[in-house]
Amino acid sequence: MFFNLITIVAFVVGAVLCGRAKRDHGKAATLGMIGCLLLVLSVLVRTPTIFAIDFQRDLGLSAASLGVIFAVVGLLETILLLAGFALLVAGVVARRGPRPQPPAPPQGYGYGQPAPPQGPGYGPQR
């Protein structure tokens, strides 16, 4: 159970980081965020099966019915894992938009250089 909690925390942190990077990376970050959330869901689907064997007799389940439950949960978990992993990979290889160009330096005396002092005779002629 402890390892499932660590895994869930890791995937939630990944989803939050992807959400924060959405402004810079756009669609790629969205794909990564959805992938992380699907991976969280896959862990949440798997977690109740840890307790199923302990409560098998209390629930009145036979070994065969428990096997069917494990098979269905395993299939659902596999689908979620594959979809989440595929979306993470798609987010990594997705094209990103063109990066914004840095602002052009101001024209005139040069970037970062002050204008020469205005003395007598430099003003507008009357």
Side-chain angles (χ1 to χ4, degrees), residues 49-99:
T49 61
I50 295 170
F51 305 108
I53 295 175
D54 295 337
F55 295 114
Q56 174 187 2
R57 290 191 182 150
D58 296 338
L59 297 173
L61 297 174
S62 66
S65 60
L66 191 62
V68 169
I69 292 171
F70 281 166
V72 170
V73 168
L75 179 64
L76 182 59
E77 180 189 3
T78 301
I79 291 169
L80 290 171
L81 277 170
L82 288 175
F85 184 72
L87 286 172
L88 279 177
V89 170
V92 168
V93 299
R95 290 189 184 267
R96 287 158 176 82
R99 291 187 179 245

Side-chain angles (χ1 to χ4, degrees), residues 2-68:
F2 177 71
F3 294 112
N4 286 348
L5 185 61
I6 291 173
T7 305
I8 289 172
V9 168
F11 290 144
V12 167
V13 167
V16 169
L17 290 175
C18 287
R20 290 181 58 129
K22 193 173 180 179
R23 182 172 43 100
D24 295 332
H25 297 289
K27 182 177 122 180
T30 302
L31 290 173
M33 183 174 57
I34 294 171
C36 285
L37 293 176
L38 284 177
L39 291 170
V40 167
L41 191 58
S42 74
V43 174
L44 291 176
V45 165
R46 175 179 13 130
T47 302
T49 61
I50 295 170
F51 305 108
I53 295 175
D54 295 337
F55 295 114
Q56 174 187 2
R57 290 191 182 150
D58 296 338
L59 297 173
L61 297 174
S62 66
S65 60
L66 191 62
V68 169

